[in-house]
């Protein structure tokens, strides 16, 4: 028998709001509350409120916590200052991506690793295995946190109204402990929408109090609850990769155009170093495929797995990894791995095979959308 999906601490709130629920990575999560397009537009122009409690938190502590993470992950985690965060990845020995992560340095010898829901157990198992020989402890803290995000241009004002934390001094990819609406939280200026915003890590028992306080604080500026559907179109417009689509164990960070997260200059060995050095050389000299953006000239929407073809010959030159209508651009868009000779922005003669019809698309550089800072 299959297990019933897990429910977050906000499950009753979502159902009271009339959310359409869906099974995502073993969790019962809100897909949308009303119109996913309206939710998307709200985040781009005002603010949206998300329940992200399905994400996986893993705490790493001890005198050699930084050394363990530098060995286990591709980034230079020991170089992260207390109170800051870093986007990074964990790979296998062959350089294949196991997950992309955000790592927060909470104290001198304490880090929180945040993994995608679908990969949290994989990441926990890998860190536990790689912990051998280091004076550090790996702890599964998935039950210790609920995670609420408020994203969009109005989010700083909304959050300021319910906290005395120094949000003006909180940089992008930084976090600080504080009290929000009377609730103890880790306030992080991170997100997955392409907008300014905050992610709030709180005890599950405090999640409903915080959600209601933010809902009330944002009512006058048009904050709305948002589901996973608009979260996907927001990240797609912002050119942010999704594990299982742009990132898999069959791809390296260099394949995905994210080689910058691999820090060969850090001291010592790390898992996947040799394979990633070879991947970096391939990517520089003769990349087989590159990750690109595609914008439709028509109205038909591509989906993951659709073939990218040369319009003239019909030869397959790539594959769509993510596709959706873009509410901001008003056109269908896609991210795809495409043969290098067809990957330059402005390349013509590229199409996507949508149920046997070759629909013309324009190759563009990612991201599709970048907010005005």
């Amino acid at each position: 028998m299959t297990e019933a999906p897990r429910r977050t601490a906000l499950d009753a709130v979502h159902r009271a709001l009339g959310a359409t629920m869906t099974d995502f990575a073993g969790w019962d999560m809100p897909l949308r509350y009303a119109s996913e397009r309206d939710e998307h537009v709200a985040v781009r122009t005002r603010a949206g409120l998300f329940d992200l409690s399905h994400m996986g938190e893993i705490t790493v502590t001890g005198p050699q916590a930084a050394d363990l993470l530098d060995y286990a992950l591709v980034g230079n985690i020991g170089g992260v200052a207390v109170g800051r965060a870093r986007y990074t990845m964990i790979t296998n020995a062959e350089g294949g991506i196991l997950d992309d992560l955000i790592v927060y340095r909470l104290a001198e010898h304490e880090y929180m690793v945040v993994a995608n829901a679908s990969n949290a157990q994989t990441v926990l198992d890998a860190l536990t295995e790689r912990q051998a020989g280091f004076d550090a402890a790996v702890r599964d803290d998935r039950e210790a946190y609920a995670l609420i995000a408020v994203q969009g241009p109005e989010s700083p004002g909304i959050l300021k109204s319910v906290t005395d934390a120094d949000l003006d001094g909180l940089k992008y990819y930084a976090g600080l402990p504080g009290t929000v609406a009377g609730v103890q939280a880790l306030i992080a200026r991170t997100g997955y929408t392409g907008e300014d915003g905050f992610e709030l890590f709180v005890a599950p028992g405090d999640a409903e109090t915080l959600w209601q306080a933010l809902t009330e604080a944002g009512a006058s500026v048009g904050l709305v609850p948002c589901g996973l559907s608009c979260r996907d179109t927001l990240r797609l417009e912002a050119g942010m990769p999704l594990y299982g689509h742009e990132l898999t164990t069959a791809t390296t960070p260099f394949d995905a155009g994210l080689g910058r997260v691999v820090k060969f200059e850090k001291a010592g060995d790390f898992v996947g170093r040799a394979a990633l050095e070879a991947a970096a050389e391939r990517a520089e000299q003769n990349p087989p495929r590159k990750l690109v953006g595609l914008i439709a000239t028509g109205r038909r929407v591509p989906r993951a797995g659709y073939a990218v073809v040369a319009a003239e010959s019909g030869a397959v030159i790539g594959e769509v990894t993510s596709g959706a209508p873009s509410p901001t651009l008003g056109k269908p868009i896609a991210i795809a791995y495409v043969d290098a000779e067809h990957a330059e922005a402005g390349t013509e003669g590229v199409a996507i095979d949508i149920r046997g019809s070759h629909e013309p698309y324009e190759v563009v550089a990612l991201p599709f959308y970048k907010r005005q800072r």
Side-chain angles (χ1 to χ4, degrees):
M1 294 178 62
T2 57
E3 292 185 14
R6 299 174 66 186
R7 297 186 175 190
T8 76
L10 291 165
D11 182 77
V13 173
H14 302 318
R15 294 175 191 280
L17 289 169
T20 299
M21 306 296 287
T22 188
D23 184 347
F24 182 81
W27 290 83
D28 210 14
M29 297 296 295
L31 186 64
R32 68 181 71 83
Y33 296 84
S35 160
E36 55 202 48
R37 185 185 186 282
D38 290 349
E39 292 171 21
H40 180 112
V41 172
V43 175
R44 286 277 178 259
T45 60
R46 304 185 305 277
L49 192 61
F50 297 83
D51 178 10
L52 306 180
S53 302
H54 60 310
M55 302 294 281
E57 296 85 8
I58 302 163
T59 302
V60 180
T61 58
Q64 290 188 304
D67 296 328
L68 165 58
L69 291 171
D70 277 339
Y71 170 72
L73 311 180
V74 302
N76 180 8
I77 307 305
V80 178
V82 174
R84 298 305 302 268
R86 182 156 295 170
Y87 176 77
T88 187
M89 294 183 183
I90 182 168
T91 72
N92 57 27
E94 293 73 39
I97 301 167
L98 297 176
D99 201 12
D100 60 334
L101 312 163
I102 296 180
V103 179
Y104 299 87
R105 190 167 195 170
L106 305 181
E108 185 66 23
H109 300 302
E110 182 179 2
Y111 296 81
M112 182 169 66
V113 178
V114 181
N116 287 296
S118 57
N119 295 326
Q121 189 63 48
T122 298
V123 174
L124 176 65
D125 291 344
L127 289 175
T128 301
E129 179 183 338
R130 297 173 191 185
Q131 178 266 342
F134 291 95
D135 186 3
V138 176
R139 185 175 72 235
D140 181 0
D141 270 348
R142 285 176 286 180
E143 300 292 339
Y145 293 103
L147 178 56
I148 296 172
V150 55
Q151 299 277 302
E154 297 287 353
S155 59
I158 293 169
L159 195 55
K160 280 180 184 179
S161 71
V162 291
T163 184
D164 58 4
D166 179 19
L167 299 186
D168 290 334
L170 186 64
K171 297 178 180 178
Y172 186 51
Y173 265 69
L176 81 166
T179 303
V180 183
V183 169
Q184 289 299 311
L186 171 65
I187 306 167
R189 201 164 203 156
T190 46
Y192 193 53
T193 63
E195 298 298 336
D196 191 12
F198 304 87
E199 295 181 320
L200 308 169
F201 296 84
V202 299
D206 292 329
E208 192 166 334
T209 297
L210 180 56
W211 179 278
Q212 299 296 359
L214 290 168
T215 297
E216 293 169 13
S220 63
V221 292
L223 172 128
V224 300
C226 294
L228 293 179
S229 186
C230 85
R231 179 171 157 88
D232 189 50
T233 53
L234 289 160
R235 71 91 194 168
L236 179 55
E237 288 184 347
M240 295 177 171
L242 176 63
Y243 196 88
H245 289 251
E246 289 71 43
L247 310 177
T248 69
T249 53
T251 57
T252 73
F254 295 95
D255 296 327
L258 293 167
R260 65 183 181 275
V261 307
V262 182
K263 304 301 182 184
F264 293 122
E265 67 273 17
K266 65 180 176 178
D269 194 15
F270 62 90
V271 176
R273 177 190 273 273
L276 289 168
E277 286 173 340
E281 189 173 343
R282 286 196 307 274
E284 187 172 336
Q285 295 180 358
N286 188 28
R289 284 185 170 179
K290 291 185 176 181
L291 198 63
V292 302
L294 298 170
I295 298 180
T297 57
R299 309 302 302 175
R300 298 192 70 185
V301 179
R303 299 298 180 190
Y306 284 12
V308 182
V309 300
E312 188 171 324
S313 67
V316 176
I317 58 171
E319 183 177 319
V320 172
T321 54
S322 297
S326 166
T328 304
L329 276 63
K331 300 177 180 180
I333 59 174
I335 298 177
Y337 280 104
V338 172
D339 291 351
E341 59 266 33
H342 298 276
E344 287 301 315
T347 298
E348 297 180 349
V350 171
I352 296 177
D353 186 337
I354 301 180
R355 299 186 184 89
S357 175
H358 291 180
E359 301 291 328
Y361 271 72
E362 177 189 356
V363 179
V364 299
L366 294 170
F368 301 98
Y369 165 86
K370 184 175 285 189
R371 71 181 175 92
Q372 300 298 312
R373 297 180 184 273

